[in-house]
Amino acid sequence: MAAFSGIWVALVTPFKHDDVDFPAVRHLARHLIACGVDGLVVCGSTGEAAALSKDEQLAVLDAVLEVVPAHQVVMGLSGNNMAATLQMQQAIQQRDIAGVLVPAPYYIRPSQSGLLEYFTTLADASRVPVIIYNVPYRTGIAIELDTLRQIACHPQVKAIKDCGGNLDATMALINDGVIDVLTGEDNLILSTLCLGGSGAISASAHLYPQRFVQLVRQVAAGDLPAARANFYTLLPLIQQLFSFPNPAPVKAALAYEGHIDNALRSPMQTAPLALQQQIVATLAQLQPAAEPVS
């Protein structure tokens, strides 16, 4: 079994009156784990980590750890100041967690050798597994395949959340077999699994998570006709959830289902009403996965 595999939900951070809604954090975390997802990623981009103070981020992590086993919790660790990022890493590591998700340092756009130094320094300081997050449309810099391969050689680096947009690099990393490859692009979950990837870190899997879990099982069992039918049923919802800046559509859908308030921190805005209505209509057409989650 891969160290990081299956469906990990990139958890939203619920708000109420612009404060973190900790009861809703715990409720949502419990709900998703009960639905059979493999784990949760806390305070990533979907969790609006950039809008949270470091103390708030740690408090959200603690709230999730109250209700979810540590081996099913990964924490986002992002920054562009090495000293501050290392300090946050040490604070995170006072908790027992499954790993940290680390993107390239945003805005400063370092060289490839700078990226190698950044990830190596954090991996050297990490007592938990590191997941690389290659997401150039958020950070401003792509981690090239040669650099990824060098980073992957570090014994603490175990996986990658792949949003790099380079299919050749994705296939090369899967074929190398050195680290687990999880897609961060929800519309590529089926193709990544079929290519031999380990799974996904998904925002869409907040909704009908059983179907996403079932998709992984269908591919693993070699039942590709069922997997394709399942995935193409989910695809309209996935497309709607990413037709406006994430996580606004996901939060609108979760609010409709009664899990959280439909609230984001400025400058993030709630999804347009027309899109919310489209999402509600799509949710009404979906049915839970036919197979129970054990």
Side-chain angles (χ1 to χ4, degrees), residues 145-232:
L145 177 59
D146 287 346
T147 307
L148 287 169
R149 280 174 159 158
Q150 292 180 74
I151 298 168
C153 289
H154 195 289
Q156 281 296 86
V157 175
K158 303 298 185 183
I160 181 170
K161 179 180 179 181
D162 180 25
C163 297
N166 184 334
L167 180 59
D168 288 337
T170 300
M171 292 189 295
L173 290 171
I174 292 172
N175 190 49
D176 288 348
V178 176
I179 57 175
D180 300 321
V181 177
L182 301 103
T183 186
E185 301 289 353
D186 289 14
N187 62 341
L188 298 180
I189 294 176
L190 176 60
S191 55
T192 298
L193 290 169
C194 289
L195 287 168
S198 299
I201 297 176
S202 165
S204 303
H206 281 92
L207 291 312
Y208 289 96
Q210 298 98 327
R211 279 193 167 274
F212 287 85
V213 172
Q214 187 183 56
L215 177 62
V216 174
R217 295 180 177 180
Q218 288 165 334
V219 175
D223 191 353
L224 296 185
R228 282 194 292 267
N230 188 7
F231 176 75
Y232 283 113

Side-chain angles (χ1 to χ4, degrees), residues 14-16 247-256 259-265 269-273 276:
F15 296 116
K16 187 179 290 288
V250 174
K251 282 192 161 183
L254 289 170
Y256 169 73
H259 294 294
I260 66 172
D261 284 0
N262 187 16
L264 298 93
R265 276 192 176 165
Q269 301 288 301
T270 56
L273 181 58
Q276 294 187 43

Side-chain angles (χ1 to χ4, degrees), residues 14-283:
F15 296 116
K16 187 179 290 288
H17 307 303
D18 210 41
D19 293 324
V20 176
D21 185 349
F22 289 104
V25 170
R26 289 185 284 268
H27 159 76
L28 186 59
R30 278 193 299 259
H31 163 71
L32 291 167
I33 293 298
C35 288
V37 303
D38 293 273
L40 306 177
V41 177
V42 180
C43 292
S45 51
T46 300
E48 295 175 78
L52 301 173
S53 71
K54 298 303 183 186
D55 286 343
E56 284 178 319
Q57 291 183 36
L58 293 171
V60 172
L61 174 60
D62 288 339
V64 172
L65 288 170
E66 288 178 22
V67 296
V68 177
H71 71 275
Q72 292 180 285
V73 180
V74 163
M75 179 65 171
L77 174 64
S78 61
N80 54 14
N81 177 302
M82 180 65 83
T85 305
L86 284 166
Q87 184 177 21
M88 183 63 172
Q89 181 183 31
Q90 292 306 309
I92 291 169
Q93 292 185 153
Q94 293 177 20
R95 286 88 172 155
D96 184 18
I97 59 173
V100 288
L101 177 69
V102 183
Y106 52 86
Y107 183 74
I108 57 177
R109 303 181 71 244
S111 65
Q112 293 299 304
S113 60
L115 290 171
L116 178 59
E117 179 182 6
Y118 180 80
F119 281 97
T120 300
T121 299
L122 291 175
D124 284 345
S126 185
R127 66 167 184 81
V128 299
V130 172
I131 304 172
I132 309 164
Y133 186 8
N134 190 21
V135 58
Y137 56 79
R138 286 191 180 273
T139 63
I141 186 71
I143 313 173
E144 296 174 0
L145 177 59
D146 287 346
T147 307
L148 287 169
R149 280 174 159 158
Q150 292 180 74
I151 298 168
C153 289
H154 195 289
Q156 281 296 86
V157 175
K158 303 298 185 183
I160 181 170
K161 179 180 179 181
D162 180 25
C163 297
N166 184 334
L167 180 59
D168 288 337
T170 300
M171 292 189 295
L173 290 171
I174 292 172
N175 190 49
D176 288 348
V178 176
I179 57 175
D180 300 321
V181 177
L182 301 103
T183 186
E185 301 289 353
D186 289 14
N187 62 341
L188 298 180
I189 294 176
L190 176 60
S191 55
T192 298
L193 290 169
C194 289
L195 287 168
S198 299
I201 297 176
S202 165
S204 303
H206 281 92
L207 291 312
Y208 289 96
Q210 298 98 327
R211 279 193 167 274
F212 287 85
V213 172
Q214 187 183 56
L215 177 62
V216 174
R217 295 180 177 180
Q218 288 165 334
V219 175
D223 191 353
L224 296 185
R228 282 194 292 267
N230 188 7
F231 176 75
Y232 283 113
T233 299
L234 289 167
L235 187 58
L237 176 64
I238 292 171
Q239 291 170 333
Q240 288 172 348
L241 293 178
F242 287 95
S243 65
F244 190 79
N246 180 54
V250 174
K251 282 192 161 183
L254 289 170
Y256 169 73
E257 291 193 336
H259 294 294
I260 66 172
D261 284 0
N262 187 16
L264 298 93
R265 276 192 176 165
S266 181
M268 298 298 290
Q269 301 288 301
T270 56
L273 181 58
L275 176 58
Q276 294 187 43
Q277 293 170 339
Q278 292 169 11
I279 291 170
V280 168
T282 300
L283 289 172

